[in-house]
Amino acid sequence: MNANRRGGIRGLRVVLVAMALAGVACDPVARGDVLVTMSGGDGTQRGLPDTVFEDGWSIQFTKYLVSLGDFTLTSASGEVQRSPRYVLVDVQKGDVPLTELRGLGAGRWDVAFRVAPPGEATELADGQVLAEDLARMRQRGFSYWVEGRAVKAGAGVLTFQMGFPVDARMEDCINGVDGTQGIIVPEGSTAEVEVTIHAEHMFYDRLGTHQGVKLRFDAIAATASPEGLITPEGLASQRLTDLRDSEGGELRDGAGNPVVYLPGAHDVRTLQEFVTQSIVDQAHLNGGGVCTVAN
């Protein structure tokens, strides 16, 4: 090989190495970050007034614990970015930071996360949740635990301590801000994403649709103990095909008609099972954005 050719090859190698180093030093993909928070909105923080209930009750929560994690983003090209962190939070106390994902490619990403009973690695939100609450939920398999009181003129005041064993992955979430799929990660900035809990789902009287639902509490109230406490065991004693009032008679509404809960295609037989199914999809994206439930 002559000297000129050897020199040309060496020169080409230098150019290729320089190009490779330039590619490492300068990422051509615009990137941004995602900050995820959880909120219960007015429903968990201020309660639900009697005007939204068919039977005149009002609800005030003092605890609204949610166990949630595995927040996952998937790009259009199939890239997956996830935070495996699970946190037990009390959304009654306000909005809570969940996780942060950094250095994502700017553009649209699909959103998914899981609501599940707390495991050994589940973290407690700082200053919000007691260790005894975590232990109870872990032992009984509850991903939701709510406490508070219910008030109705002429009926008095009841308290409740209710837990529900939801275990569901929420995916293909619609953005409640603009109705589009997932979120947009902005170039050189941070997308603020909110998982929003809709407390009113707990009181729906039908499953499988958000259309035509009414909020009811009489059937739940009828399960209260002599001390006025509503528990999961009490809800489990209320049969959907034979709803009873607090005196043991047939449960009827203000107009004298039998109260009916419509389970749709779901195989639920007790009020505890009905409410558990009703709140499976109460975790939304950015306000009212609905997610698909996948177990």
Side-chain angles (χ1 to χ4, degrees):
M1 182 180 296
N2 60 45
N4 289 337
R5 187 174 179 184
R6 285 197 299 270
I9 292 175
R10 284 196 298 270
L12 179 59
R13 287 173 178 167
V14 171
V15 171
L16 291 175
V17 170
M19 292 175 62
L21 291 174
V24 171
C26 181
D27 185 352
V29 178
R31 299 193 176 275
D33 303 327
V34 174
L35 176 63
V36 186
T37 61
M38 180 185 276
S39 173
D42 287 347
T44 64
Q45 295 169 26
R46 298 182 184 178
L48 300 169
D50 57 7
T51 53
V52 303
F53 281 90
E54 191 72 9
D55 44 25
W57 289 89
S58 65
I59 302 296
Q60 180 64 57
F61 296 100
T62 55
K63 280 185 184 179
Y64 206 110
L65 307 186
V66 187
S67 175
L68 181 147
D70 194 21
F71 192 86
T72 305
L73 298 176
T74 305
S75 71
S77 64
E79 180 185 353
V80 176
Q81 295 285 342
R82 86 183 259 270
S83 170
R85 183 180 189 230
Y86 274 83
V87 186
L88 180 60
V89 303
D90 186 352
V91 292
Q92 197 282 326
K93 290 181 170 62
D95 299 351
V96 183
L98 278 183
T99 192
E100 188 171 12
L101 296 166
R102 294 181 173 275
L104 282 70
R108 186 170 297 279
W109 292 74
D110 284 343
V111 173
F113 53 89
R114 178 172 286 278
V115 177
E120 293 299 325
T122 299
E123 303 172 28
L124 295 181
D126 292 341
Q128 283 201 335
V129 182
L130 300 175
E132 62 193 58
D133 288 324
L134 172 63
R136 179 197 304 111
M137 294 176 69
R138 183 177 291 159
Q139 179 183 14
R140 303 193 62 178
F142 292 149
S143 50
Y144 289 99
W145 178 260
V146 299
E147 297 182 10
R149 68 175 192 160
V151 180
K152 180 179 180 179
V157 179
L158 299 175
T159 58
F160 54 83
Q161 296 177 351
M162 303 186 295
F164 304 100
V166 173
D167 188 354
R169 179 172 173 79
M170 316 304 294
E171 58 186 30
D172 297 327
C173 297
I174 300 300
N175 194 319
V177 174
D178 58 13
T180 61
Q181 183 80 21
I183 62 169
I184 296 291
V185 174
E187 179 180 348
S189 187
T190 300
E192 296 184 357
V193 180
E194 179 183 279
V195 175
T196 313
I197 303 298
H198 287 214
E200 67 273 12
H201 283 224
M202 190 172 297
F203 309 108
Y204 282 0
D205 65 354
R206 63 178 60 191
L207 299 178
T209 178
H210 291 203
Q211 302 298 318
V213 297
K214 296 177 180 179
L215 274 61
R216 300 183 183 273
F217 195 79
D218 273 346
I220 297 174
T223 71
S225 70
E227 297 74 29
L229 177 62
I230 299 165
T231 65
E233 292 77 16
L235 295 181
S237 71
Q238 184 76 285
R239 310 292 296 182
L240 293 179
T241 56
D242 187 29
L243 292 173
R244 300 278 114 183
D245 62 23
S246 58
E247 302 298 323
E250 183 180 24
L251 185 63
R252 295 180 175 271
D253 62 20
N257 300 313
V259 173
V260 177
Y261 277 68
L262 301 176
H266 298 282
D267 182 20
V268 292
R269 303 179 185 182
T270 70
L271 194 55
Q272 170 73 359
E273 293 174 351
F274 186 98
V275 177
T276 299
Q277 183 61 50
S278 186
I279 66 174
V280 163
D281 63 348
Q282 73 169 348
H284 295 245
L285 176 64
N286 285 344
V290 177
C291 304
T292 299
V293 178
N295 293 323

